[in-house]
Structures are given as structure tokens and as C-alpha cells.
Amino acid sequence: MSHASASDRIRELAQGIEGDFDKSRRVLSFSEWFEIFCEAPTLHARSASQYVRDAMLHFGTEEVRTPGGLVRRFRIFDAYVQEGRALSPEFQDSELPGHAVSGRRLVGQERAQNMIFESLDGFCRLGRVDKLLLLHGPNGSAKSTLLECLQRGLEVYSTTDEGALYRFAWIFPNENPTGSGIGFGAGLVKDRLGTESFAALQGKDVDARVVDEFKDHPLYLLPQLDRERLLYDVLGDEKDFVVSEAVARGQLSARNYRIFEALLAVHKGDLKKVLAHVQVERFFMSRNYRLGLVDVEPKQAVDARSFPVTGDRAFAALPASVAGQVLYGAQGDLVEANRGLIAFSDLLKRNYEHYKYLLTAVEGRRVALDHITLNLDVVFTGSANDIDLLAFREQNPIEYQSFQARLDRIKVPYLLDYRVERKIYSEQVGDLLRGVHIAPHVCRTLALWGVMTRMRRPNSNEYPDCIAEVLRRLTPLDKADLFAYGRVPEGLTGEEARELLAAVPHMYEEQFEHAFVRIDGRRVDDYEGSFGASVRDLKNILLDAASSPEVTSVTVPTIFEYLRAYLRDKSNHRWMDLTADSTFHLLDGDERSVTEAAWERWLDLSEREVRKALGLVDEERYLELFRKYVTHARHFTRKEKLFDEVTGSVTEADESFMGEIERSIDPTGYDVTKETEETRRKFREEVIARIGAWALSNPNQEPALEEIFTDYFSRMREDYYRQQKSTVSDGVRMMLELLTDHEPVDRDEALDGDTRDRAREAIELLTKDECASALSEFHTEETLKEMLVALTKYRF
């Protein structure tokens, strides 16, 4: 295959860049830009808040299930976006054309996403930004990640046609072909360019080009009254579009105003000739180059400053009428963020005097500098830890009253759904652990343990009396399963299960009394997810376990060693000293602790995994039988007949089949002698009612029977397990013998050939590598052996 020469490659690249430049309409005259504006005024008359809100909508949304019910997720917070579209992480390496940006995506936090959108939408309806969006939560709860994803999406959105942004520069031409002199006539320009605009002039034809670092909107070049009439005219039919104060009444920056006034005087009030000096250019938001997107770290400095520029060499070639003005430039975070978004990281770590100006900047969109006043069009955001927010509120009560009126507080707690949190470890740690294998269930177990450390005991007084006792018995593991899968604890009646499931959305939103650390009396916040093990700490535990010398794999037993070492570091994690409330916040050292609960759950998962590999568990069979049972029970309770698809006849619900399943559901408590038609009906009605309760929290979804009836499935499985326990024990022993290559000590007691073959097939199945990912769910022989040893020690 022939390879292109270096010059051919450069030529191809140059042609591509030139084509993109022309396609994106990077440089325009004012009249050309004005045509674009008139074609789509709702796109080009947007304020910063309207722009950010539209960017969130542009990438689309989807409905996701949370413990509080279905909520909207904004795809702008996903990591991979291309051509202005959000892509799932699995498409990150695709060869789709377009602009791609990758990075960490935001996992979970849909409530915070919606609160941000609702605040922005409120600004849009009001026509002005009057508050700072303050994201607050515990350390490591993804506040920075949320803002980072939003900024990344804005970067990509600004490259799309719908997200085009424009600013302008001043062009002062050299009308003498030899390069001497500066004038204001348009004759030679018209002859050379066929236009009266200087926007297309280049090189020696330009004596001076004054760029606007403040990114003033081109509409500001139109007098305010005329601009308002224009906007009313072109947007009169757009009933849902509110013209913002920033666009309708915004003013040129001080330097642009002085240049504009000087040119207007020279041209004797001819606006058209003034606009001939305007070169409109498209700009793209960028965090790296601080164009419309700025992160401000805690520092002892002002966020903007002004300075004179008249003596600067870049301004030396200006016409005398302009150069005679006292011109000022401006720089700093607020200047660079204008027409975009600014994010104050750890805002409350600053001295109050250093962000006091934000009170007027946010509410009045103005900041007074030494020489000029900045008129702002920017979305203000910030992040703060709950501890800093509490300290500020208690230590500066008067200042806090003034400050909170300019805040939209957006809570960003730790995740409380371990099925969601496990995605963080699977997605974000994989790239960092090349060459180190992560055993099955590591991420799941780590996420479960972390979530359980954050759980708080429900206040039974806030719920129906029929589940008060259930809530008093509830454990962190029970609550974690409720939030993640809607699983109810075992031993509940149908009514209790139904009411408990119906209470989950309220439980997810429940507020609590402030928690206090018993050693120093420090107060922790009043919501669930305000304390506990952070994702950041747990990621570090996983990385530490993988970075030990000669480590080739990370297993759950290894992770528990690191977790117990982590729990000993109470001096740096004061939440560990919170008083236990029954089993809640009972971290370790007790068989009821969250650490023991997570360990037992891993043993359950491992045992189930081995049973399935040995061919002793058929989940689909359980599910199919139970689906059939639900169908018969529903028809029984409704007194309806069933249509038999095989025979084509209509029959009664099968009483013997339902009875067999019910005996399996409760093999020890089912008493045929006490069975009556009324008890059977009541039991079956409770089954159908439980499905209905689950549907309230999961509308428009097919009932997940294995989640709704976890207790029933567990009993069916346990009944089967009891019958097969010796078979499983023999299989585990044989698998260990095969992995250690040891022969049985007593040949007469050797397991039969069928068990050996089954064990060999199980090993092959469990160690089958069908995925190249570092975090794929398969065992190496080393990790499988460690799991089997643990099962032998603790279960068989």
C-alpha cells in the first residue's frame, strides 16, 4: 500500500481546515452577520443563561430510574459528544466524523442536573440572571465533575450551527496601496472588495485591528432604542422567547464605546460607515483558552482589573481621532468568562471580603473597576463543601443573610444507589489499571459498602403505622437494596411489602435531624448522603490495592483489608465517629455491621455464581414459572378465565400449579391443613398488590418480578439449594483440586467423573475472557481460587 508524502498530507490537512473555516463562517462583515441574525433571531439574541439552557436541551434527555421515581437525565453530562450529539461511552472509539471530546462523565446526580436546568429556565423566563448557582455537598460528591461536564458540553455546542457565537473587532484600513496613511473613505475598499466593509481586509491593507477581549455582542453596536424595536419586530411571533435585559439593554464595553463614538463623530453620524469598520468573528468556547468558560480556584486576588492601553504599541496605529481617547483594557476571570459560564471552585474557602463584590455582580450584572465598569452577561456558578457552608452560616450570620438571597442552592449528595455508583469504578478506574485484573463483584461490593456507610435510619413516625415496625427493623443493607432494586426484606406480609415500596420515594427525600460527631460535637448536615465514605476515597482504595508491588489482580478479600485499614483513619474522617443508630452507621467489629453485611453479600454472589457455573441454577426457569404464577393469580383474583394458547380453549386458573409455587415460596410455613379459599385469595391479592405498588415508583415499565419478589425468589432458590448443597460442596472441592492440581488424598473417596467434568466446565466458564476491558466480569485462576477458598471456609 502506498503512503502519501508529507507534502500531500500537509496539503490535505490545509484543505480540510480551510473548508471548515469557510463552512463555519468564521469572519463576516456586520451586514453578513445581520442576515444570519435575521434568519434565526432566537439563536443569535440569546443571553448567557439562555445559551447554557439551550445547550442542555440540545444534547437530548432520557428517563432514568432513581429511588425517587423516574427523572430526566441530560445527556450533556455524558462524557462523549460528537457533532453536537451525546454518545454513550461504548462509542468513544468509533470513527464517526465530527468534533469529539472525551472525559469523565457524570454518573447519577440527576436531581442536581434538573435543579440546574430549572434555575436556568427561571433566569430565561425572568430575562436576567439574578442568582449564583451554588452546588453544595460533602467532599468528593461530584460537584466539580458536574460543572466540568457542563463546560465540556458547552465547548462542543459552540462548534455546532445552533451554538454559533459571535463577537467583533474594529478594522482600520490602509487605503494607500504603498502602505502609508490611514483614512476613513470607502472608495478603494469598494473597488477592491466589491463591498463597503473593511471586514475582509488582510495583511498590509490593515493598519490596525482592535480585538475585543470582553466579547461584546454585535447587537450592542445598534443604539439601544433602535435595538429594542428591532428585537420586538423580528421576535414578535416568538411567544416563548423572552428577550433578556443583557441583550436588549446591554451596553458596549468602555473601550468599544469610545471607539464607536469617535468613528461616529468622524463620519458625522453615519452608522453605516461606522459599521464598515466592524469585523464580526465567530468564537468557540474553551476551558483551556478561557473563552467564555473559566474556573476560579480559591485565591486572594480580585477577579478582574482594568488598565490603560492607549500607549500600547498595538494601538499606536489608530487614527488620531481614536488614539486621542483614553482607552482602557480589562482582564481577569470575569472578563474572560463573559457571555459564558464562570465556576468558583470551593467558593466559601475564600475570605468573605474577596467575594463580597459578587453580591452586586450577580444581582446587578455590573462590577466597578478602577477605571471602568463591566457590564456582565454570564452564568455564575460555584461549589462549596457542606462543612464550609455550615461554618459560614454559623460564623457570619449577617453576611449569610445577604449572601443566601443571591444563591440558588443545589444539593449534590453522595450517591445512595449502589447499582449506579458501581459504574463510576467500572468506567473511571479501568483506564488507570492497565495490566491489573479486577475480579468479579469488586466494584459492586465496594459501591454497596460505600452506600451503606451513608445510610440513615428512617424516622418511622413519618410513615404509615403498618410499616412502623418494619422500618425499625430495617438495616442499611435492606435500605440499600430498596433504593437500588426495589427489593423488600424477607418475612414481610403482602401489605407491608406494598406499603414499604410505596414509601421509597419519600424515604429517598427524607430530611433528618442534624447528626453530631460525638468527640468534638461537630455538626454534620441534615440529609442522607451528607456524610460517609466518598467515591474519591473508595477509588483511591481500589487504586492502592492495584498498585501494590507484584499485584496482578484485585479481589474482594483484598479490598476488605484496605477498607478496614481505611476505617482506622478516624482522625482524617470524623464522620467515622458518628454514633451508631441501631445497625445504621455501625461500621465494623460486629456481625450486624455494614462491613460484615457487604462481606456476606459477596459470599452470596459468589456462591450463586458457582452454582450457576455448575449448572445447578436456572434463573430463567424461576422467572418463567413465577410469571406464569402471576398470570394465574391475577385471573384467579379477578375471577376471570384463562385462554390456553396450546389447546385454544378457555380454562380456570390452575389451582394445583399455584399451590405448588406457593409451597416453594414458603416451604417451611405453608400448611395445607390451614389452607382455605379465603387465605389463598388473600395471599394472591397481596402478590398482585405488591406489583401495583412497585409500578407507582416505576411507571411505564414492565414489572421486574425478580426485584419485586426478591424474598420469594430467594426462598424458592434456598429450597432448591438445600436439596443441592452437598452437590455444590463437592463441586467446589473438585474445582479447588483442579486449580491446585492436587489429587484426592484417598482415591476411594474421590469424586465421580461426572462431578470432575462439571467442575472443569465450571472453571472454564468462570475464567472465560470474552472482553478486553480491565474490569470485565471474569475470573483468572488466581481470583477464582481465592473465591473458592473463601466459600469453603465460610459456607461449605
Side-chain angles (χ1 to χ4, degrees):
M1 185 174 95
S2 62
H3 295 277
S5 65
S7 60
D8 290 338
R9 292 182 183 277
I10 292 175
R11 189 181 305 110
E12 183 180 346
L13 288 170
Q15 290 173 348
I17 293 173
E18 184 178 1
D20 289 341
F21 188 88
D22 292 337
K23 182 181 177 182
S24 62
R25 308 188 73 174
R26 297 280 290 272
V27 178
L28 303 167
S29 66
F30 184 86
S31 60
E32 289 172 330
W33 173 83
F34 194 70
E35 288 181 9
I36 294 175
F37 166 77
C38 291
E39 289 173 0
T42 56
L43 295 181
H44 300 289
R46 290 180 292 187
S47 64
S49 59
Q50 289 170 318
Y51 188 88
V52 178
R53 180 202 61 181
D54 289 354
M56 291 182 69
L57 291 173
H58 174 82
F59 292 99
T61 62
E62 61 182 329
E63 294 290 313
V64 298
R65 191 184 77 79
T66 71
L70 286 178
V71 298
R72 175 177 53 177
R73 177 178 177 83
F74 291 86
R75 293 195 179 111
I76 193 173
F77 295 101
D78 291 327
Y80 305 96
V81 284
Q82 212 158 27
E83 287 190 330
R85 296 179 297 112
L87 297 178
S88 300
E90 58 265 27
F91 296 113
Q92 60 176 298
D93 297 322
S94 66
E95 297 181 356
L96 294 175
H99 182 92
V101 179
S102 64
R104 290 186 303 168
R105 78 183 184 103
L106 178 69
V107 177
Q109 300 297 358
E110 284 79 18
R111 285 192 299 179
Q113 295 175 26
N114 280 277
M115 290 178 70
I116 288 175
F117 180 83
E118 289 164 8
S119 294
L120 290 169
D121 198 45
F123 298 154
C124 296
R125 291 194 301 271
L126 183 64
R128 63 198 300 263
V129 174
D130 63 347
K131 291 186 178 181
L132 181 148
L133 307 183
L134 183 67
L135 279 60
H136 68 95
N139 236 340
S141 64
K143 300 180 293 292
S144 298
T145 301
L146 192 153
L147 291 174
E148 178 186 325
C149 290
L150 181 59
Q151 290 176 319
R152 184 169 55 240
L154 288 169
E155 283 183 310
V156 177
Y157 182 58
S158 70
T159 67
T160 66
D161 292 339
E162 296 87 345
L165 290 166
Y166 292 93
R167 61 180 178 179
F168 64 87
W170 297 102
I171 302 295
F172 295 95
N174 174 2
E175 294 192 354
N176 188 331
T178 62
S180 61
I182 299 176
F184 290 93
L188 292 176
V189 175
K190 185 174 181 180
D191 292 339
R192 282 180 284 166
L193 303 177
T195 178
E196 294 186 355
S197 171
F198 306 136
L201 289 179
Q202 299 178 7
K204 64 181 182 180
D205 291 328
V206 177
D207 262 1
R209 181 176 184 270
V210 180
V211 180
D212 175 28
E213 70 274 9
F214 205 59
K215 304 181 290 296
D216 276 345
H217 199 295
L219 281 175
Y220 291 179
L221 291 163
L222 303 179
Q224 182 176 324
L225 291 178
D226 295 322
R227 188 195 321 160
E228 290 186 23
R229 282 194 292 266
L230 169 70
L231 291 169
Y232 178 81
D233 182 41
V234 299
L235 293 165
D237 295 332
E238 301 292 341
K239 303 300 183 184
D240 296 330
F241 187 87
V242 176
V243 179
S244 69
E245 291 183 9
V247 174
R249 300 172 190 169
Q251 298 179 350
L252 291 168
S253 62
R255 189 175 70 211
N256 282 335
Y257 173 75
R258 291 181 183 275
I259 294 175
F260 179 88
E261 287 295 317
L263 290 174
L264 195 64
V266 168
H267 293 301
K268 299 179 180 180
D270 191 335
L271 179 62
K272 189 174 181 181
K273 290 183 178 180
V274 174
L275 296 178
H277 290 270
V278 173
Q279 181 187 71
V280 180
E281 63 175 355
R282 183 172 178 179
F283 72 93
F284 303 97
M285 286 194 171
S286 170
R287 292 172 295 162
N288 190 46
Y289 300 112
R290 296 169 67 88
L291 270 173
L293 298 173
V294 174
D295 291 308
V296 183
E297 298 297 327
K299 59 185 178 183
Q300 301 298 315
V302 181
D303 297 315
R305 71 182 185 91
S306 61
F307 53 91
V309 298
T310 310
D312 194 296
R313 291 187 59 187
F315 296 86
L318 291 177
S321 58
V322 176
Q325 303 283 333
V326 178
L327 302 180
Y328 292 96
Q331 63 181 198
D333 301 324
L334 290 175
V335 175
E336 292 159 344
N338 195 43
R339 297 193 57 199
L341 182 145
I342 189 168
F344 293 93
S345 179
D346 288 323
L347 176 64
L348 299 181
K349 288 188 185 298
R350 291 177 160 201
N351 185 295
Y352 176 69
E353 295 300 321
H354 288 275
Y355 55 75
K356 193 174 183 179
Y357 74 90
L358 285 176
L359 298 178
T360 55
V362 171
E363 191 170 38
R365 300 186 298 105
R366 296 163 64 89
V367 173
L369 303 183
D370 292 336
H371 309 97
I372 60 175
T373 297
L374 300 182
N375 294 295
L376 301 170
D377 179 19
V378 65
V379 174
F380 292 89
T381 67
S383 63
N385 292 330
D386 281 333
I387 292 176
D388 294 327
L389 183 60
L390 283 168
F392 178 63
R393 187 165 63 190
E394 293 174 353
Q395 297 169 15
N396 306 278
I398 298 176
E399 290 86 351
Y400 178 74
Q401 291 302 317
S402 299
F403 200 60
Q404 72 165 345
R406 277 85 170 183
L407 296 179
D408 257 0
R409 289 176 49 182
I410 297 172
K411 187 165 59 180
V412 187
Y414 289 139
L415 297 178
L416 298 175
D417 185 340
Y418 67 85
R419 70 183 172 88
V420 175
E421 181 162 322
R422 66 181 293 194
K423 297 176 184 176
I424 298 178
Y425 310 121
S426 299
E427 293 174 11
Q428 296 181 14
V429 179
D431 290 338
L432 303 175
L433 298 181
R434 301 297 182 188
V436 177
H437 178 71
I438 306 300
H441 312 309
V442 166
C443 296
R444 179 187 184 128
T445 305
L446 194 61
L448 173 62
W449 186 88
V451 165
M452 285 195 293
T453 66
R454 306 163 196 158
M455 290 291 178
R456 300 185 74 169
R457 189 178 184 183
N459 181 358
S460 59
N461 296 328
E462 295 190 11
Y463 300 88
D465 293 339
C466 63
I467 58 170
E469 184 58 35
V470 173
L471 293 173
R472 283 190 282 269
R473 296 196 309 265
L474 205 68
T475 68
L477 181 61
D478 293 334
K479 194 172 183 182
D481 282 340
L482 262 178
F483 280 3
Y485 296 106
R487 293 175 181 166
V488 298
E490 291 188 27
L492 303 189
T493 66
E495 182 185 5
E496 289 172 335
R498 182 173 67 252
E499 290 294 335
L500 184 60
L501 286 170
V504 169
H506 175 69
M507 201 180 301
Y508 188 56
E509 303 285 348
E510 185 176 350
Q511 294 293 304
F512 297 85
E513 296 276 335
H514 279 285
F516 289 86
V517 178
R518 62 174 178 266
I519 291 180
D520 56 11
R522 182 183 302 169
R523 187 168 69 171
V524 184
D525 222 328
D526 58 347
Y527 60 90
E528 196 165 36
S530 63
F531 61 78
S534 72
V535 170
R536 184 180 299 157
D537 286 341
L538 297 184
K539 280 168 60 178
N540 287 336
I541 285 173
L542 184 53
L543 292 172
D544 288 345
S547 61
S548 298
E550 300 181 0
V551 164
T552 59
S553 60
V554 177
T555 62
V556 171
T558 302
I559 288 296
F560 273 91
E561 292 177 10
Y562 279 85
L563 287 177
R564 287 193 162 95
Y566 169 66
L567 287 174
R568 291 193 289 271
D569 187 18
K570 293 186 178 182
S571 60
N572 290 316
H573 305 283
R574 302 310 296 270
W575 58 268
M576 294 180 182
D577 283 314
L578 288 167
T579 303
D581 182 6
S582 183
T583 55
F584 286 85
H585 214 67
L586 184 60
L587 300 178
D588 199 11
D590 189 294
E591 62 180 10
R592 304 170 301 154
S593 70
V594 298
T595 302
E596 285 301 319
W599 174 259
E600 288 297 320
R601 174 57 58 85
W602 173 68
L603 290 176
D604 290 341
L605 292 170
S606 299
E607 184 178 343
R608 183 175 174 185
E609 189 177 46
V610 169
R611 291 177 184 276
K612 189 172 182 179
L614 290 170
L616 300 177
V617 177
D618 186 355
E619 294 294 333
E620 283 302 316
R621 178 175 176 273
Y622 291 140
L623 192 56
E624 182 181 346
L625 284 173
F626 203 80
R627 283 198 188 104
K628 183 179 177 182
Y629 169 78
V630 168
T631 300
H632 281 254
R634 182 180 289 114
H635 283 75
F636 173 84
T637 57
R638 295 176 179 175
K639 299 181 179 179
E640 297 174 347
K641 292 189 176 182
L642 279 161
F643 175 74
D644 191 324
E645 295 182 357
V646 177
T647 63
S649 59
V650 177
T651 63
E652 299 286 344
D654 191 334
E655 187 64 49
S656 62
F657 167 72
M658 289 187 289
E660 182 181 349
I661 296 297
E662 287 160 0
R663 280 189 292 274
S664 179
I665 287 172
D666 190 5
T668 58
Y670 191 86
D671 188 348
V672 179
T673 61
K674 296 180 181 179
E675 181 188 3
T676 65
E677 182 176 347
E678 182 59 29
T679 58
R680 290 195 301 268
R681 177 176 298 279
K682 185 176 180 180
F683 181 84
R684 293 160 193 172
E685 285 175 347
E686 289 178 347
V687 168
I688 303 305
R690 193 190 289 195
I691 296 174
W694 185 90
L696 291 176
S697 301
N698 302 270
N700 304 318
Q701 293 190 48
E702 285 294 318
L705 299 179
E706 67 274 28
E707 295 179 10
I708 302 171
F709 298 100
T710 306
D711 49 343
Y712 291 175
F713 274 80
S714 177
R715 291 170 192 167
M716 293 171 69
R717 193 180 294 116
E718 285 302 320
D719 182 43
Y720 179 73
Y721 283 178
R722 278 190 291 271
Q723 303 172 33
Q724 298 291 336
K725 186 167 185 177
S726 62
T727 304
V728 177
S729 177
D730 290 343
V732 169
R733 285 167 46 208
M734 178 56 76
M735 289 169 70
L736 270 175
E737 289 177 359
L738 291 172
L739 287 169
T740 55
D741 200 25
H742 290 165
E743 292 295 327
V745 176
D746 189 341
R747 179 62 63 181
D748 293 336
E749 295 181 2
L751 301 175
D752 60 35
D754 180 61
T755 302
R756 180 179 293 273
D757 291 341
R758 183 179 289 178
R760 187 177 288 109
E761 291 173 1
I763 292 172
E764 183 179 350
L765 181 64
L766 292 170
T767 57
K768 192 173 184 180
D769 181 2
E770 294 181 340
C771 179
S773 167
L775 292 174
S776 56
E777 290 287 297
F778 69 92
H779 281 283
T780 64
E781 290 193 357
E782 177 187 357
T783 64
L784 179 57
K785 189 189 304 181
E786 187 168 351
M787 182 191 79
L788 294 172
V789 168
L791 283 177
T792 301
K793 181 177 180 180
Y794 295 101
R795 289 291 172 89
F796 299 108

